[in-house]
């Protein structure tokens, strides 16, 4: 059966990399139908909104959302992101933000002497609440005694569902899960997180679970990356750690993500991690691999497992051969040329 995909190319390099992702997806899977929406910061300039008032209702009818990037210097970031990206993640209960961190053979990590066997991690980021709850406010605005409060929110239900998901993924991999918190300084939220993790751990006796504080985790990713398999962490902590992860795997341009509603009750959303990159937007120099790889994660989620594996293998082959790499990977190819090379590598 065909699957309907809503495409939101968005801002900056978004449209450039999404075009390459669509090429690969079309080459490998005839069963996808695409509809493109011009939402984002340019749309905001014209209409005062990042997407139409019924945007979420429109998206609700699709099987998945394929997104480029949101954010542009002319619109304050908290407005653009709370006008489009974050409402989609929250409203569609995309409670898992899945971010693979994997060093492809042929690409170099900034970690001296580390190879593909050392860097192969899977981050499971809580994606609906935590430090991104949106709860808070400002009083006495503009006066010297102005106060701002930003309140993290942690619910047992949301902690449990995301950690359970991480345990399931760990079962399919190396049976090791690291739960990241900061429950020494925090007295409430991360302590609850630890309790829920401990409770679930007894249900997954075949998975070894470790608890690591986020500061120590940052150091461990650099010093002992080979000791890391699956990681589960709160929204903000995993946001930060996955940028580090992206650097370890050779750069932000490579990093892919899937915002998943694992139950398929709502559409899931697939986007590269890199953002709109205003400094290189429009120059045909952005690395499309993060977007193409996110497309592979979408195929996987929609049940096109073979096609997903083919796309990932084509990315790996293109990186290994190293003939058409963008400047961030040390090459001189354009976005388009790297996209073409991936499509070529897909063909038998
Ligand atoms: C990401 C981004 C977003 C986030 C921003 C743009 C709100 O950094 O997807 O990692 O923090 O979730
Ligand atoms: Mn981020």
């Amino acid at each position: 059966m065909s699957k309907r995909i809503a495409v939101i190319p968005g801002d900056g390099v978004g449209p450039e990399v999404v075009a390459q992702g669509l090429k690969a997806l079309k080459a490998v899977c005839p069963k996808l139908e695409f509809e493109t929406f011009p939402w984002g910061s340019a749309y905001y300039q014209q209409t005062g909104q990042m997407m139409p008032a019924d945007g979420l209702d429109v998206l609700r009818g699709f099987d998945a959302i394929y997104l480029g990037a949101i954010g542009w210097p002319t619109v304050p970031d908290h407005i653009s992101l709370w006008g489009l990206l974050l409402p989609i993640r929250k409203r569609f209960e995309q409670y898992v933000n899945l971010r693979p961190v994997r060093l492809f053979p042929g690409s170099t990590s900034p970690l001296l002497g580390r190879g593909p066997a050392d860097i192969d991690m899977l981050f499971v980021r809580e994606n609906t609440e935590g430090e991104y709850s949106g709860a808070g406010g400002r009083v006495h605005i503009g006066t010297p005694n102005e106060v701002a409060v930003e309140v993290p929110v942690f619910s047992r239900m949301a902690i449990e569902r995301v950690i359970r998901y991480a345990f399931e993924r760990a079962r399919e991999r190396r049976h090791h899960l690291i739960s990241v918190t900061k429950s020494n300084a925090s007295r409430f939220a991360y302590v609850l997180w630890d309790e829920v993790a401990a409770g679930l751990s007894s249900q997954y006796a075949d998975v070894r679970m470790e608890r690591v504080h986020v500061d120590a985790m940052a150091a461990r990713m650099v010093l002992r990356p080979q000791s890391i398999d699956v990681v589960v962490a709160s929204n903000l902590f995993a946001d930060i750690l996955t940028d580090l992860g992206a650097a370890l795997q050779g750069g932000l341009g490579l990093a892919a993500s899937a915002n998943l509603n694992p139950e398929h009750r709502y559409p899931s959303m697939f986007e590269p991690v890199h953002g709109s990159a205003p400094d290189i937007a429009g120059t045909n120099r952005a690395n499309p691999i993060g977007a193409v790889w996110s497309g592979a994660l979408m195929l996987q989620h929609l049940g096109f497992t073979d096609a997903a594996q083919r796309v990932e293998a084509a990315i790996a082959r293109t990186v290994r051969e190293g003939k058409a790499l963008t400047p961030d990977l040390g090459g001189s190819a354009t976005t388009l040329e790297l996209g073409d090379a991936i499509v070529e590598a897909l063909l038998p």
Side-chain angles (χ1 to χ4, degrees), residues 178-189:
I178 298 179
S179 170
V180 174
T181 62
K182 185 69 187 169
S183 51
N184 48 0
S186 141
R187 293 190 293 169
F188 310 113

Side-chain angles (χ1 to χ4, degrees), residues 192-235:
L192 171 62
W193 180 293
D194 280 354
E195 283 173 18
V196 174
L200 282 170
S201 179
S202 58
Q203 294 174 31
Y204 290 86
D206 55 321
V207 176
R208 187 166 68 84
M209 189 190 80
E210 259 186 275
R211 293 196 291 122
V212 178
H213 292 313
V214 64
D215 46 354
M217 189 64 191
R220 177 156 165 182
M221 286 174 69
V222 172
L223 298 175
R224 285 194 297 137
Q226 77 284 8
S227 72
I228 303 168
D229 181 14
V230 180
V231 182
V232 63
S234 67
N235 216 331

Side-chain angles (χ1 to χ4, degrees), residues 44-68:
Y44 180 89
Q45 299 291 358
Q46 290 157 16
T47 65
Q49 290 174 309
M50 292 295 291
M51 62 178 167
D54 66 349
L56 290 174
D57 297 328
V58 173
L59 294 175
R60 176 87 166 84
F62 287 81
D63 293 296
I65 303 159
Y66 188 52
L67 182 131

Side-chain angles (χ1 to χ4, degrees), residues 35-322:
E35 191 173 328
T36 300
F37 296 91
W39 303 341
S41 297
Y43 187 89
Y44 180 89
Q45 299 291 358
Q46 290 157 16
T47 65
Q49 290 174 309
M50 292 295 291
M51 62 178 167
D54 66 349
L56 290 174
D57 297 328
V58 173
L59 294 175
R60 176 87 166 84
F62 287 81
D63 293 296
I65 303 159
Y66 188 52
L67 182 131
I70 295 299
W72 194 247
T74 53
V75 184
D77 283 337
H78 66 280
I79 290 180
S80 57
L81 294 159
W82 280 94
L84 204 159
L85 188 73
L86 297 175
I88 295 174
R89 288 179 179 173
K90 287 166 191 281
R91 179 65 189 84
F92 293 152
E93 289 187 42
Q94 296 169 349
Y95 62 84
V96 169
N97 191 320
L98 196 67
R99 299 188 162 187
V101 171
R102 177 181 156 201
L103 185 65
F104 287 109
S107 60
T108 13
S109 172
L111 293 184
L112 194 64
R114 295 295 185 183
D118 299 308
I119 297 170
D120 182 6
M121 321 169 190
L122 185 66
F123 279 80
V124 176
R125 168 183 177 186
E126 202 294 316
N127 208 31
T128 57
E129 55 167 43
E131 308 86 347
Y132 285 50
S133 72
R138 287 168 69 170
V139 292
H140 310 305
I141 292 179
T143 70
N145 48 353
E146 178 164 4
V147 175
V149 279
E150 186 97 35
V151 188
V153 171
F154 286 83
S155 66
R156 181 179 283 278
M157 180 273 294
I159 297 170
E160 210 208 281
R161 65 186 179 183
V162 77
I163 299 180
R164 188 180 289 285
Y165 181 90
F167 269 111
E168 294 290 338
R169 297 287 76 74
R171 264 196 171 152
E172 299 161 356
R173 290 172 51 103
R174 302 194 295 277
H175 296 258
H176 182 221
L177 174 65
I178 298 179
S179 170
V180 174
T181 62
K182 185 69 187 169
S183 51
N184 48 0
S186 141
R187 293 190 293 169
F188 310 113
Y190 301 125
V191 175
L192 171 62
W193 180 293
D194 280 354
E195 283 173 18
V196 174
L200 282 170
S201 179
S202 58
Q203 294 174 31
Y204 290 86
D206 55 321
V207 176
R208 187 166 68 84
M209 189 190 80
E210 259 186 275
R211 293 196 291 122
V212 178
H213 292 313
V214 64
D215 46 354
M217 189 64 191
R220 177 156 165 182
M221 286 174 69
V222 172
L223 298 175
R224 285 194 297 137
Q226 77 284 8
S227 72
I228 303 168
D229 181 14
V230 180
V231 182
V232 63
S234 67
N235 216 331
L236 181 63
F237 287 174
D239 174 48
I240 299 166
L241 294 176
T242 52
D243 260 36
L244 174 54
L248 299 186
Q249 71 181 341
L252 209 50
L254 296 163
S257 82
N259 302 273
L260 299 177
N261 175 250
E263 292 78 24
H264 294 257
R265 271 186 64 201
Y266 301 101
S268 293
M269 175 165 66
F270 302 82
E271 49 164 338
V273 176
H274 54 61
S276 65
D279 53 329
I280 58 164
T283 66
N284 200 18
R285 276 191 296 160
N287 185 341
I289 289 180
V292 179
W293 193 358
S294 302
L297 297 176
M298 180 167 79
L299 290 169
Q300 178 80 38
H301 179 73
L302 294 175
F304 301 114
T305 311
D306 289 347
Q309 281 163 1
R310 278 180 64 200
V311 173
E312 227 184 289
I315 294 171
R317 186 170 150 193
T318 310
V319 171
R320 195 176 62 238
E321 290 177 353

